[in-house]
Amino acid sequence: MSDSRQTVILGTGCAGLTAAIYAARANLRPLVIEGHEPGGQLSLTTMVENFPGFPEGIQGPELIENMRKQAVRFGAEFRMGHVSHADLRQNPFTLRLGPEEIRTETLIIASGASARWLGLESEQALIGHGVSSCATCDGFFFSGKEIAVIGGGDSAMEEALFLTRFASRVTIIHRREQFRASHIMLERAKNHPKISFLTNMAVEDVMDVEKKEVTALKLRHVMTDEVTVFPASAMFLGIGHVPNAAMFGDQLDRDAEGYLRTRDYVFTRVAGVFACGDVQDRRYRQAITAAGTGCMAALEVEKFLELRGH
């Protein structure tokens, strides 16, 4: 079964949904593929207080649903599933969605980046209730509290340093003795009066799922196997993100971490293929910046198609 489109958008986070709104208003009738994580990382966030236009804040899933309804209103079509294979060697491009083959003249990649998690059941149950992978999104909610940051690289140091603006104390917990962080970031964290370190410690469990809040972490010393309980009001993951771009292989330029490389904000090396949001943004990773690049990508798609006579 084959389907032909003018434009396809991969992803339904802020970038993909903004692109869908703009593309649909341009009468391009975009097909939007939901992807692995429908709604993106905002769907895992309880309260969003830094998205303009909502002075009292808005629930992450509600913001995503509002954007989706707006895109549908203008004619965007949504389809569940994720693209397992993409052929960008010639236009129209070919995408494999389950048993279906989709051909499209333009492609907007807004597939995002998935936060790395520890893989604990309790951790997953408490996402949005004291467990977070975004300090700038959720740090404010833990003002005056003791916070744990998990990781040993630059991401963990950056999260910890940011969280000192709110927390009474930040403890960086790392399963090794040595850190992967750059010297300057590590020294900055070590010299901060609010930051302390626990090394050779692995998180075994997050408490307390029944209360729907984080009260403590169960830690295991990797050398002695001794288990201790560490009181904390929140746990922030600082072990990085994985951009969802593997399906393109070497057809598009990627950096060492797998993020898509773009020029002039959203252009990839393949004409007619644009990337926006967290799949190409390893620096800001905010809902508003993702929305901005989603807008840019849709506007460029419209120009691209006009030049091709549409």
Side-chain angles (χ1 to χ4, degrees):
M1 183 167 57
S2 183
D3 187 2
S4 295
R5 300 280 173 157
Q6 284 187 299
T7 189
V8 170
I9 299 169
L10 305 184
T12 50
C14 274
L17 291 175
T18 303
I21 291 167
Y22 274 78
R25 288 190 78 247
N27 204 31
L28 299 180
R29 299 191 64 81
L31 175 62
V32 187
I33 309 300
E34 297 273 8
H36 280 294
E37 296 177 352
Q41 293 186 54
L42 268 194
S43 63
L44 303 176
T45 302
T46 49
M47 181 61 73
V48 180
E49 293 194 315
N50 56 4
F51 199 91
F54 300 95
E56 303 301 321
I58 184 171
Q59 294 289 318
E62 183 184 0
L63 177 59
I64 289 296
E65 183 59 24
N66 288 347
M67 295 176 75
R68 181 189 174 104
K69 287 177 179 176
Q70 195 172 355
V72 169
R73 174 189 163 205
F74 293 120
E77 179 186 340
F78 287 77
R79 197 167 298 177
M80 292 293 293
H82 68 276
V83 171
S84 58
H85 177 74
D87 187 347
L88 309 179
R89 291 173 296 180
Q90 62 181 12
N91 196 309
F93 312 117
T94 304
L95 308 173
R96 174 65 62 181
L97 183 69
E100 185 179 10
E101 184 178 276
I102 300 170
R103 295 167 69 81
T104 181
E105 294 180 59
T106 58
L107 177 65
I108 295 177
I109 304 168
S111 47
S114 300
R116 289 190 173 100
W117 301 99
L118 299 174
L120 304 171
E121 284 187 23
S122 55
E123 166 198 57
Q124 296 299 302
L126 289 168
I127 291 174
H129 299 278
V131 172
S132 174
S133 62
C134 180
T136 53
C137 306
D138 301 322
F140 172 79
F141 300 113
F142 301 98
S143 296
K145 306 288 188 180
E146 293 204 10
I147 294 175
V149 172
I150 312 304
D154 279 354
S155 293
M157 304 304 141
E158 289 170 5
E159 295 279 283
L161 286 162
F162 181 84
L163 288 167
T164 59
R165 302 180 188 186
F166 312 104
S168 61
R169 183 145 204 86
V170 178
T171 302
I172 296 174
I173 300 172
H174 186 40
R175 64 182 300 120
R176 296 182 178 85
E177 185 72 36
Q178 303 299 319
F179 293 90
R180 292 175 288 105
S182 60
H183 177 75
I184 188 169
M185 289 300 299
L186 184 58
E187 287 304 303
R188 199 173 291 170
K190 284 183 174 180
N191 291 330
H192 198 289
K194 281 191 177 182
I195 295 178
S196 57
F197 292 80
L198 280 177
T199 57
N200 294 318
M201 289 290 195
V203 180
E204 294 279 285
D205 198 16
V206 187
M207 305 157 68
D208 190 340
V209 172
E210 290 75 17
K211 293 182 179 178
K212 274 291 181 183
E213 64 176 313
V214 174
T215 59
L217 308 181
K218 191 177 290 184
L219 305 178
R220 177 181 57 82
H221 195 284
V222 297
M223 304 291 190
T224 65
D225 280 336
E226 180 185 358
V227 175
T228 57
V229 174
F230 178 78
S233 297
M235 181 179 81
F236 283 80
L237 278 298
I239 52 179
H241 290 73
V242 181
N244 301 314
M247 77 281 282
F248 303 108
D250 60 0
Q251 297 178 91
L252 298 173
D253 293 332
R254 293 191 282 170
D255 68 14
E257 298 295 320
Y259 289 86
L260 292 178
R261 293 185 185 275
T262 53
R263 59 178 175 80
D264 294 334
Y265 302 107
V266 295
F267 287 80
T268 71
R269 79 179 190 199
V270 177
V273 178
F274 306 89
C276 55
D278 287 11
V279 75
Q280 51 87 235
D281 173 20
R282 59 181 301 164
R283 181 169 182 176
Y284 299 105
R285 296 199 298 266
Q286 297 299 299
I288 192 64
T289 52
T293 55
C295 165
M296 295 177 201
L299 293 175
E300 294 299 343
V301 160
E302 188 178 359
K303 291 177 185 176
F304 181 86
L305 291 171
E306 282 177 0
L307 291 172
R308 290 171 63 93
H310 293 282

